[in-house]
Amino acid sequence: MKIWQISSFGIDHLELRDVPESKPGAGQVLIRVHAVSLNYRDLLTVKGQYNPRMRLPAIPCSDGAGEIVETGQGVSRFRAGDRVAGIFMQNWLDGRLTPERSRGALGGDIDGTLAEYVLLDEDGVVAIPGSLSYLEAATLPCAGVTAWNALVHAARVKAGDVAVIQGTGGVSIFALQFAKVHGAKVLGTSSSDEKLARAQALGLDAGVNYRQTPDWSAWVLDQTEKLGADMVIEVGGAGTLNQSIKAVRMGGVVAQIGVLSQTEEPLRIAPILHKQVQIKGIYVGSRAHFEEMNQAIGANSLHPVVDKVFAFDQAPAALRAMEGGSHFGKIVIQVVS
């Protein structure tokens, strides 16, 4: 079988190799991968910026969907022919995240999904919604679950709430879709008016170009009668956190997800105290979160937004597209054409 392998860091050093096909052991399933989606973490991993001390060689990418072709002894949750995806952290099945459960992340601690076949423990796999294609389902394990965890569990979104999304990447577009399903009003920021228009076609209630309006928190306050948003899906990182704190209402939630930007501006502590802002770190989610999200996707006929599709042998070009940042929604690599 063919795999993409990091032998040394850098997109140009990613190697396409032939290796023997694996056989499932007890409790394992062998999955023929149909599609893999990219996250910013995958780009950082390949470039050596996520964990410069990670074990090499390694297969990158956390997200993929495919078909089980063989099961090992004792497997009871799945059978050959089932359509599945692996969970991001193979040891986080339910409950709170612990140090033990945080180990075993695909494409980091253990080999990832950028391969023709992957071997996973049956407990680290979920069935994918029947309404989704493999290309769509491949986007769910990281970006989808992260957005679901942030909105539903961290911020407890409900009808009538106001949510703010930043940009139009995978997590933000999922957050838009999930927030609208729950009856929330969604405000959004982007550097592109064209992307804001595309987001409005998906249900975004109002958007602002943050290059034209750097103090976008004031715009959020104008949109909310000076009360602020109930939640901000914070994917920008240090460079946008102060704006998110200003934009959120008293007692509101900032779901801190991304590390895309930096700043020399100090973090202002006083507004956090005075407004009783809840800043909650989000690190993807559990298998239980994934399964709960899949039920909502099926019940509401939601479809992930796949913006660009690359062939398996074009994996470096897909990573370059991620690096360029021009995508809307998700970038997917099609393994089986």
Side-chain angles (χ1 to χ4, degrees):
M1 68 176 187
K2 294 184 183 300
I3 63 169
W4 281 100
Q5 187 177 76
I6 308 169
S7 296
S8 59
F9 292 122
I11 296 175
D12 292 335
H13 297 150
L14 202 60
E15 298 178 345
L16 183 61
R17 298 192 56 210
D18 277 302
V19 299
E21 185 178 312
S22 302
K23 298 291 289 184
Q28 293 183 317
V29 294
L30 180 65
I31 303 167
R32 186 187 185 195
V33 180
H34 283 243
V36 172
S37 77
L38 296 183
N39 299 289
Y40 192 66
R41 168 185 179 266
D42 303 320
L43 174 64
L44 295 181
T45 298
V46 170
K47 295 172 71 173
Q49 297 171 0
Y50 189 80
N51 178 10
R53 297 184 299 276
M54 73 179 288
R55 172 192 55 82
L56 296 180
I59 301 171
C61 297
S62 61
D63 291 13
E67 176 188 2
I68 293 177
V69 293
E70 190 176 350
T71 61
Q73 183 180 1
V75 170
S76 59
R77 297 183 66 239
F78 299 100
R79 60 184 180 183
D82 286 347
R83 301 168 74 245
V84 297
I87 62 176
F88 183 89
M89 279 175 274
Q90 288 287 292
N91 299 318
W92 190 11
L93 306 185
D94 201 353
R96 293 185 176 184
L97 184 61
T98 65
E100 294 74 22
R101 291 169 177 171
S102 70
R103 301 187 184 106
L106 290 173
D109 300 328
I110 59 178
D111 279 334
T113 58
L114 197 53
E116 290 184 317
Y117 293 86
V118 296
L119 195 62
L120 298 177
D121 189 278
E122 68 166 331
D123 286 337
V125 172
V126 299
I128 58 177
S131 57
L132 301 187
S133 69
Y134 284 116
L135 292 176
E136 293 171 323
T139 70
L140 300 177
C142 182
V145 175
T146 297
W148 182 265
N149 188 12
L151 279 165
V152 176
H153 293 277
R156 300 189 181 279
V157 64
K158 62 184 183 303
D161 282 348
V162 177
V164 175
I165 63 170
Q166 296 176 346
T168 55
V171 171
S172 296
I173 294 302
F174 271 120
L176 167 61
Q177 292 176 299
F178 294 150
K180 297 307 294 184
V181 163
H182 283 84
K185 177 180 180 179
V186 184
L187 309 176
T189 70
S190 174
S191 62
S192 166
D193 291 337
E194 184 265 335
K195 287 184 178 180
L196 286 173
R198 291 180 66 182
Q200 286 174 332
L202 291 172
L204 185 71
D205 292 279
V208 67
N209 188 316
Y210 64 79
R211 294 201 188 279
Q212 299 170 6
T213 309
D215 188 20
W216 52 264
S217 60
W219 173 83
V220 172
L221 293 176
D222 287 342
Q223 295 288 317
T224 57
E225 299 180 345
K226 305 301 180 181
L227 294 175
D230 296 280
M231 65 206 70
V232 178
I233 306 304
E234 168 56 69
V235 300
T240 53
L241 182 56
N242 280 327
Q243 282 289 306
S244 293
I245 293 169
K246 291 179 183 178
V248 76
R249 67 164 172 81
M250 189 170 287
V253 175
V254 175
Q256 181 60 56
I257 297 166
V259 292
L260 298 178
S261 63
Q262 300 297 324
T263 183
E264 295 182 359
E265 180 185 2
L267 175 63
R268 299 176 63 223
I269 300 298
I272 300 174
L273 305 179
H274 296 159
K275 296 174 67 175
Q276 298 185 334
V277 176
Q278 303 175 63
I279 300 177
K280 298 190 176 184
I282 305 297
Y283 190 20
V284 195
S286 67
R287 189 184 76 187
H289 292 147
F290 201 157
E291 292 173 332
E292 180 184 82
M293 176 193 70
N294 283 345
Q295 290 182 348
I297 287 173
N300 293 280
S301 301
L302 291 182
H303 286 272
V305 177
V306 176
D307 188 43
K308 298 178 181 179
V309 179
F310 292 82
F312 186 60
D313 61 2
Q314 296 176 313
L319 286 162
R320 293 289 185 199
M322 170 65 72
E323 190 174 42
S326 64
H327 56 287
F328 180 94
K330 296 294 292 182
I331 296 170
V332 177
I333 296 170
Q334 187 167 9
V335 182
V336 176
S337 57

